[in-house]
Amino acid sequence: MVTEVFTRKYCDPHALREEKVEATDVIQFAWEGTVREVDACDECRKEHETRYEPLVDYSRPVKKRRATTKKADTADAKAASDSGDAEGSDES
């Protein structure tokens, strides 16, 4: 004999009010530095989204900046060549 077990998830906010409403979504939120999940129905999910901003990672990988030393090196080299030319003309 085969027995099937059906498990239902109930909406946690409604469960606090001792109501049994089937959960269809999961709400994610941050609590004390960790991401937590709560089972919720559509109504509670919509209410949560209007009240709080959704947890979305807007961060981007940091790109390497262009080396600004090239400009500094060329400016130093130019200054050195200018001073070298000035020294050479003084000797003549």
Side-chain angles (χ1 to χ4, degrees):
M1 179 178 203
V2 177
T3 305
E4 292 185 33
V5 177
F6 294 102
T7 56
R8 288 187 175 179
K9 292 182 181 180
Y10 291 106
C11 177
D12 292 334
H14 279 97
L16 291 173
R17 293 179 250 149
E18 297 180 6
E19 299 173 4
K20 289 189 176 185
V21 178
E22 192 169 348
T24 55
D25 277 322
V26 175
I27 296 174
Q28 289 187 343
F29 61 96
W31 183 263
E32 295 181 357
T34 59
V35 177
R36 307 277 179 129
E37 292 184 343
V38 173
D39 295 325
C41 62
D42 286 332
E43 177 185 330
C44 291
R45 181 187 55 82
K46 288 177 184 174
E47 181 181 332
H48 183 269
E49 286 179 355
T50 58
R51 189 176 293 178
Y52 305 104
E53 291 182 23
L55 280 180
V56 178
D57 184 17
Y58 290 108
S59 64
R60 296 182 302 269
V62 178
K63 295 180 180 178
K64 289 186 178 180
R65 300 226 179 232
R66 283 190 234 167
T68 55
T69 57
K70 289 181 181 179
K71 289 181 182 177
D73 289 343
T74 55
D76 291 341
K78 185 177 180 184
S81 67
D82 289 343
S83 63
D85 290 340
E87 290 175 7
S89 61
D90 290 339
E91 292 176 7
S92 310

